[in-house]
Amino acid sequence: MSGRLSQHPDLCPADRVERAQQGAVQAGLDALLISPGADLRYLTGYAAHPLERLTCLVVPARGEPFLVVPLLEKPSAAASPAVGLGIEIVGWAETEDPYALIAKRLGGSLRRVGLDKQMWAEQVLAFQRSLPSGAELDLAGGVLGEMRMRKSPAEVEALRKAGAAIDRVHSSMGEWLRVGRTEREVARDIADAILAEHATVDFVIVASGPNSASPHHETSDRVIGAGEPVVVDIGGTTQDGYCSDSTRNYCVGGRPDAGYQKLFEVLLAAQRAQCEAAGPGITSGRLDAVGRTVIADAGYGEYFVHRTGHGIGLETHEEPYIVAGSAHVLEPGMTFSIEPGIYVPGRYGARIEDIVVCNNGIGAERLNGTPRDLVQL
Ligand code: ZN
Ligand code: ZN
């Protein structure tokens, strides 16, 4: 992705930096230091690459924000929406010290500074050396996380487009997934199809037969056999910067065994119950329990080994996390995955995953629409 990518103005409204400043005040932070990544893109529309040369958006709790970039990146930064948002762009030359430059502009009265949670350690240490002694370093992530987990209508629309894009890839699975091909061969074709629909391919999981019992399996040279279940979990990032993520389950050249079919029916019921229960007002922990109870009651409790889901937006995994015990209350505009799974080690497994958005009224809407049943090819 490049900083030159055009971004719809609705995806980068002018009030975000101001809201981040209010969040910083509430969190007791004197400034936020945001390095390249989703937080920078969220605040400025600038999709910068993380490099050893420092790029950093400086957001003082009070005062004007400014974006510090290496001189050679200045044209790219100047072409990004940051300029239209009125953010001053400050270039630094190869022989200058950008950390000292930032420290000088922020002044000597800093008490607490919030750093981007994905800032490189060498840059964190350089800030530590350059900022006034006694200035406490903390994370800016809390402030940005609170903002980013509540999606605007334009962001929901961008996620809806991403969902439709990955749905089109799943809908074409029959072109690639066949008995006798390896997981890797199938994954290569899927990756091409994801790229045709998105700006980048983020991940491709093709897990066949016993590999389906490993939630983190990606691909291998294993040849796909007749009647074997295949988990396909795929995602990419669209031109807008928003992510897709959807898991479906396939079976090629024959029916899977009865044990698997029973497991799958339980999983389908659990995922459906969770999609129906999702919506404003329910806690993440309670939503997790809705699916976990269905799975445990059917005797598969020990095989559901991960949380129910994760928030999604400019990153595939972001807040809120749908995890057991969480008291976090879901709100309108929150978008996240519902992806329970059952994995019987050494035998087989399945996972069904949809992205949903909490609606303004009651309930949640799924942003993926391909069949959730076992798809026989
Ligand atoms: Zn996911
Ligand atoms: Zn996934």
Side-chain angles (χ1 to χ4, degrees):
M1 282 178 285
S2 129
R4 290 172 190 85
L5 273 183
S6 64
Q7 183 139 14
H8 194 282
D10 288 352
L11 286 173
C12 196
D15 67 342
R16 281 190 186 154
V17 170
E18 207 174 300
R19 284 168 51 215
Q21 289 179 305
Q22 290 161 6
V25 170
Q26 279 166 13
L29 295 165
D30 298 317
L32 306 175
L33 300 176
I34 307 296
S35 44
D39 286 347
L40 180 65
R41 186 163 188 172
Y42 182 79
L43 290 175
T44 67
Y46 182 33
H49 290 290
L51 299 166
E52 76 288 358
R53 292 187 180 95
L54 184 76
T55 288
C56 184
L57 174 71
V58 182
V59 183
R62 292 175 184 83
E64 293 301 312
F66 55 99
L67 179 61
V68 174
V69 299
L71 265 184
L72 73 168
E73 301 291 331
K74 204 173 171 184
S76 169
S80 79
V83 178
L85 298 174
I87 296 170
E88 181 193 359
I89 298 183
V90 182
W92 59 274
E94 294 281 33
T95 54
E96 280 184 286
D97 177 351
Y99 304 93
L101 183 158
I102 290 171
K104 188 163 174 236
R105 282 187 67 140
L106 281 174
S109 59
L110 293 179
R111 290 160 298 121
R112 269 180 86 224
V113 177
L115 302 182
D116 192 304
K117 65 179 175 185
Q118 293 171 348
M119 185 179 285
W120 291 6
E122 62 180 8
Q123 298 175 338
V124 174
L125 294 176
F127 271 121
Q128 200 166 38
R129 283 191 293 269
S130 300
L131 293 172
S133 60
E136 190 188 332
L137 300 185
D138 209 327
L139 291 175
V143 174
L144 271 297
E146 282 296 315
M147 294 173 66
R148 279 177 49 197
M149 78 172 116
R150 296 173 181 86
K151 267 67 178 178
S152 68
E155 289 186 282
V156 171
E157 201 44 47
L159 284 163
R160 192 186 307 281
K161 270 199 242 167
I166 208 68
D167 280 1
R168 286 192 288 275
V169 178
H170 270 300
S171 297
S172 301
M173 203 57 61
E175 293 176 29
W176 317 302
L177 191 53
R178 284 192 295 275
V179 172
R181 300 195 80 200
T182 67
E183 293 173 353
R184 204 182 305 280
E185 287 166 345
V186 174
R188 203 175 298 136
D189 289 337
I190 294 172
D192 287 345
I194 294 174
L195 204 51
E197 297 279 358
H198 300 71
T200 61
V201 181
D202 295 340
F203 58 91
V204 179
I205 293 176
V206 179
S208 67
N211 289 343
S212 63
S214 167
H216 277 165
H217 179 80
E218 289 200 0
T219 60
S220 74
D221 291 318
R222 186 178 186 279
V223 175
I224 297 163
E228 288 180 349
V230 185
V231 174
V232 178
D233 184 356
I234 51 179
T237 302
T238 65
Q239 290 286 331
D240 290 330
Y242 285 78
C243 299
S244 64
D245 183 5
S246 174
T247 310
R248 294 293 184 255
N249 300 267
Y250 299 90
C251 191
V252 285
R255 300 293 299 171
D257 76 40
Y260 174 86
Q261 291 187 42
K262 178 168 174 280
L263 170 157
F264 194 85
E265 288 307 313
V266 171
L267 182 64
L268 197 58
Q271 206 260 1
R272 190 186 304 121
Q274 287 182 301
C275 287
E276 283 167 5
I282 191 170
T283 65
S284 295
R286 176 76 201 117
L287 183 53
D288 181 87
V290 167
R292 210 165 289 280
T293 303
V294 173
I295 289 169
D297 286 351
Y300 298 103
E302 65 181 299
Y303 303 129
F304 181 12
V305 292
H306 54 71
R307 64 192 177 205
T308 286
H310 51 82
I312 187 167
L314 287 169
E315 290 177 290
T316 310
H317 287 193
E318 59 180 47
E319 295 178 72
Y321 294 99
I322 313 301
V323 61
S326 169
H328 183 265
V329 179
L330 297 170
E331 296 176 31
M334 290 186 176
T335 51
F336 48 88
S337 70
I338 294 185
E339 51 176 308
I342 304 176
Y343 312 92
V344 183
R347 297 189 67 191
Y348 39 59
R351 176 169 63 258
I352 303 171
E353 176 179 25
D354 288 312
I355 304 304
V356 304
V357 53
C358 282
N359 282 332
N360 272 322
I362 296 168
E365 176 197 351
R366 300 198 212 211
L367 301 183
N368 298 107
T370 60
R372 290 156 199 99
D373 313 281
L374 181 64
V375 180
Q376 194 73 47
L377 296 174

